[in-house]
Amino acid sequence: MQMVLQIVLLLAGFVALIKGADLFVDGSSSLAAIFKVPSVIIGLTIVAMGTSAPELAVSTAAAINGSNEIAVSNVVGSNLFNLLMVLGVCALIKPLPIDKVIKKRDFPFSIIITIALFVALGIGVLQTTDFSTVKMSDDVSTLERWMGISLLVIFVGYLIFLIRSAIKNKTEGEAVKQMSPLKSVLFVLIGIGLIIAGGHFVVESAKFIAAAFGMSETLIGLTVVALGTSLPELVTSVVASRKGENGLAVGNVVGSNIFNVLLILGVSGTINPIKVNFASMVDFAILIAASILVFIFSLRNKISRPMGVVMILIYVAAMVFAVVR
């Protein structure tokens, strides 16, 4: 009976995510038009913050409760899913143009902060690890409190930079359905509420179902929890792509990945230093390689359908590797 209830809650979560994302895209793109802010900036800030809320809730709760493996693997898994599956699916629906600002500024920044964190954690790995005997489940490094605080400081600086950029580069408004300011804000708030509630139901139900099949905490974080908390990004970006809001779709993914690394790991690491196991370090390396590959794809100013297929296949391969290792 409990399993049936969890499946019902899982389906209800999916419905809330889909409807919430639809309202969220309409409201945020309308606000972009009203305030003459490029939709790519809205995607990088409001939408990215909203769709990253489930990851923040899950990873913060995990850090408080000492479930360190979920806190880290959730972020790495979510970023992999965003990068490969979300952009891949959007490219399959419609070839995905890449905004010049994202390609030159935000995408490289996302890669740089991921590499910097990997290197910072990797120093601990090199000092303490015997690679001839190490197991995937062995703790090999620690995301110290000073690292978490540093990530938060960088996050605040990045956010201030984006806001200043938005004020400086106002446009003539996007060609989208424009609602009243009050209705636009209501759509955004209701959308965020449904996305967070939907993400919560999906994650908790999926965790229960997965645990019933004996999955490890790291594997649950990397796959089930990461997929559940990334559903808002997937649904929001797909809806935005179908409505022709490509700046919103790509900005949402890149912005969410930046927020996940800086805000979510920053908050989690500040609350409680996080032990990082060898499996998470391997996943960090995979994430960096995937990020560089997708960035190379974006240099052609558009992610084509064949590129989208390649990205989805790489994600599937990475998840198969995570399950069998």
Side-chain angles (χ1 to χ4, degrees):
M1 187 64 188
Q2 181 72 6
M3 181 65 77
V4 173
L5 175 61
Q6 295 299 329
I7 291 172
V8 170
L9 290 174
L10 185 69
L11 295 174
F14 281 127
V15 172
L17 282 170
I18 292 167
K19 186 58 183 175
D22 199 23
L23 293 174
F24 202 6
V25 170
D26 286 345
S28 55
S29 56
S30 175
L31 284 175
I34 291 169
F35 293 105
K36 298 181 179 178
V37 175
S39 64
V40 64
I41 296 293
I42 295 291
L44 283 164
T45 53
I46 298 173
V47 180
M49 182 82 81
T51 55
S52 287
E55 282 99 333
L56 179 60
V58 170
S59 290
T60 301
I64 292 171
N65 296 328
S67 298
N68 294 326
E69 293 177 30
I70 286 183
V72 175
S73 57
N74 174 34
V75 167
V76 177
S78 293
N79 280 17
L80 263 176
F81 186 86
N82 290 346
L83 194 69
L84 298 174
M85 280 296 289
V86 175
L87 289 184
V89 169
C90 287
L92 279 183
I93 293 171
K94 186 186 296 182
L96 201 57
I98 304 296
D99 186 89
K100 288 182 180 179
V101 173
I102 286 183
K103 185 176 68 176
K104 291 182 178 180
R105 183 189 68 193
D106 303 292
F107 206 158
F109 180 68
S110 175
I111 296 172
I112 289 168
I113 59 173
T114 306
I115 292 174
L117 182 57
F118 178 75
V119 170
L121 294 172
I123 293 172
V125 176
L126 293 174
Q127 290 175 342
T128 62
T129 305
D130 179 358
F131 290 97
S132 63
T133 59
V134 68
K135 298 177 181 177
M136 285 290 179
S137 58
D138 290 347
D139 290 334
V140 294
S141 189
T142 305
L143 200 161
E144 303 284 0
R145 187 169 276 116
W146 70 264
M147 295 183 188
I149 293 171
S150 298
L151 291 173
L152 288 177
V153 170
I154 295 170
F155 172 74
V156 171
Y158 175 71
L159 207 57
I160 291 171
F161 176 79
L162 283 183
I163 293 170
R164 286 182 174 177
S165 176
I167 294 171
K168 185 178 179 180
N169 298 303
K170 286 192 174 185
T171 66
E172 288 304 310
E174 306 286 332
V176 297
K177 180 184 175 183
Q178 196 168 318
M179 301 176 284
S180 68
L182 178 60
K183 189 175 181 181
S184 299
V185 171
L186 281 175
F187 268 45
V188 169
L189 294 178
I190 293 171
I192 289 175
L194 287 173
I195 285 170
I196 293 173
H200 173 75
F201 284 127
V202 167
V203 169
E204 292 305 314
S205 302
K207 280 173 64 179
F208 177 89
I209 295 168
F213 288 96
M215 296 172 67
S216 71
E217 194 171 280
T218 297
L219 188 57
I220 290 174
L222 183 68
T223 56
V224 180
V225 179
L227 181 117
T229 55
S230 289
L231 281 174
E233 282 92 344
L234 176 61
V235 178
T236 301
S237 290
V238 167
V239 169
S241 181
R242 291 184 64 183
K243 292 183 177 183
E245 285 286 333
N246 293 310
L248 203 66
V250 180
N252 172 35
V253 166
V254 176
S256 290
N257 280 12
I258 291 171
F259 281 27
N260 287 349
V261 172
L262 296 180
L263 176 62
I264 296 172
L265 285 183
V267 169
S268 301
T270 301
I271 292 172
N272 200 11
I274 302 171
K275 291 291 184 183
V276 180
N277 62 23
F278 191 67
S280 291
M281 292 301 296
V282 171
D283 295 329
F284 257 114
I286 293 172
L287 173 60
I288 291 169
S291 299
I292 293 171
L293 177 66
V294 176
F295 179 69
I296 291 171
F297 283 171
S298 74
L299 293 178
R300 301 184 66 178
N301 299 321
K302 183 168 67 176
I303 297 178
S304 64
R305 285 191 174 95
M307 291 175 184
V309 171
V310 170
M311 290 157 63
I312 292 170
L313 290 176
I314 292 173
Y315 179 78
V316 172
M319 291 305 100
V320 170
F321 170 69
V323 171
V324 300
R325 69 191 178 196

